[in-house]
Amino acid sequence: MLVLRLLNVVAPAYFLCISLVTFVLQIFVFIPSMFRDPSTTPLFSPALLHGALFLFLSANALGNYVLVIQNSPEDLGKDFNLGKGAEVADWLDGSRSPGSALPGTHFCRLCSRVTQRHDHHCFFTGNCIGSRNMRNFIMFCLYTSLACLDSLVAGMAYISATLSMSFADPLAFLTLLPHSISQFFSGALLSSEMFVILMLYLWLGIGLACAGFCCHQLLLILRGQTRYQVRKGVLVRARPWRDNLQEVFGKKWLLGLLIPVQNVESSYRRQKEK
């Protein structure tokens, strides 16, 4: 448990550090050195267009990241009289309380609260993912993967021009890291160039991981399930996939694709307000 709590603090700091490094490399290294075309007008210059695209992806990724943290799942334990003894033990074991009729409720030891439609605990946000922040989490994964892909392409173009190498051969990227390590220790490669090469593989790993999370979550949403329900073998009532999507993304789903907006309120809150 101590290791998990430490990871819950270190992982968000690690993500923010990677985001800062990526921003600095893109704005101050890749764009000024790779997009120089005096014949084009400043309004439609490749540097400006690529910079605007990267800022759009980064703003959406960081904006949804903040919303995931701000829209913490509700602590349903405050609304239930859990009592003592067996009922509290049921919550601590991660199972549902006998007096609760809400599906997918779960007690998270790291957050110390009971949440509705608990999906999983995200260490990179230091927060549980539930009904209130699921859409923002999916958008965060989507735009993070796109930002990493954009940085990967720009970084490969920078390395290709700096080291005069071609990535036309698919094996060139696979052999780049071991070849660069040998050149670095022999003194033929600068530390800044080696750092960019390491970042290429980091962007690739983060981008693939976030894309995988996004696709997996969308598949679960279409089925009307959460990762916690799948892990525990909880059966869910069959519903049309359109209704499952609307419950998470809302009717104004297109707005959430373009700008980071607050997630729709959970069905539990709407029922409670009624």
Side-chain angles (χ1 to χ4, degrees):
M1 181 59 65
L2 180 60
V3 176
L4 294 179
R5 292 187 180 276
L6 181 62
L7 182 62
N8 202 42
V9 176
V10 174
Y14 173 78
F15 172 78
L16 294 177
C17 181
I18 294 299
S19 302
L20 179 61
V21 171
T22 302
F23 179 83
V24 171
L25 288 176
Q26 280 271 26
I27 300 300
F28 298 103
V29 179
F30 297 159
I31 294 179
S33 61
M34 297 306 302
F35 298 96
R36 295 178 180 177
D37 190 0
S39 62
T40 58
T41 60
L43 182 60
F44 299 101
S45 64
L48 183 61
L49 295 178
H50 179 80
L53 174 62
F54 173 73
L55 291 177
F56 170 76
L57 298 177
S58 300
N60 275 276
L62 293 177
N64 283 285
Y65 178 82
V66 173
L67 290 177
V68 170
I69 298 176
Q70 287 184 346
N71 297 334
S72 300
E74 296 173 292
D75 187 1
L76 302 184
K78 299 177 180 179
D79 300 325
F80 294 104
N81 183 16
L82 299 181
K84 299 180 181 179
E87 292 191 17
V88 176
D90 288 336
W91 284 109
L92 294 178
D93 290 339
S95 59
R96 288 173 51 185
S97 170
S100 172
L102 294 175
T105 49
H106 173 68
F107 178 82
C108 179
R109 294 177 180 271
L110 295 175
C111 295
S112 299
R113 60 178 170 229
V114 180
T115 60
Q116 180 194 16
R117 290 193 62 81
H118 175 88
D119 189 85
H120 68 284
H121 183 89
C122 178
F123 289 99
F124 284 98
T125 60
N127 201 5
C128 278
I129 306 301
S131 57
R132 293 187 61 190
N133 54 8
M134 175 58 73
R135 184 181 70 177
N136 296 125
F137 176 75
I138 295 177
M139 291 296 100
F140 160 68
C141 291
L142 174 63
Y143 280 104
T144 299
S145 63
L146 293 178
C148 288
L149 176 61
D150 179 83
S151 301
L152 177 64
V153 173
M156 291 175 62
Y158 173 79
I159 291 297
S160 178
T162 303
L163 302 182
S164 301
M165 62 178 301
S166 175
F167 288 98
D169 186 4
L171 296 178
F173 185 79
L174 298 178
T175 58
L176 175 62
L177 183 60
H179 182 66
S180 300
I181 292 177
S182 62
Q183 285 188 328
F184 176 73
F185 286 104
S186 63
L189 193 67
L190 299 177
S191 58
S192 59
E193 297 170 344
M194 185 64 198
F195 178 75
V196 173
I197 292 175
L198 292 176
M199 289 298 299
L200 293 180
Y201 289 91
L202 187 60
W203 288 325
L204 177 63
I206 295 177
L208 292 178
C210 290
F213 267 114
C214 184
C215 294
H216 180 61
Q217 293 294 157
L218 285 176
L219 178 61
L220 291 178
I221 291 174
L222 291 174
R223 296 166 55 183
Q225 289 182 306
T226 63
R227 291 177 59 185
Y228 171 73
Q229 291 173 336
V230 173
R231 188 171 67 252
K232 294 295 182 179
V234 178
L235 298 178
V236 296
R237 180 171 58 90
R239 298 174 54 191
W241 62 270
R242 295 179 183 272
D243 295 340
N244 294 329
L245 282 178
Q246 184 174 335
E247 183 180 7
V248 175
F249 292 93
K251 296 182 179 180
K252 300 179 180 180
W253 58 271
L254 184 59
L255 182 63
L257 289 177
L258 300 177
I259 58 176
V261 294
Q262 188 173 2
N263 198 1
V264 294
E265 294 184 344
S266 63
S267 59
Y268 168 75
R269 171 171 289 188
R270 290 196 299 266
Q271 294 174 1
K272 187 172 67 173
E273 290 179 350
K274 291 180 181 180

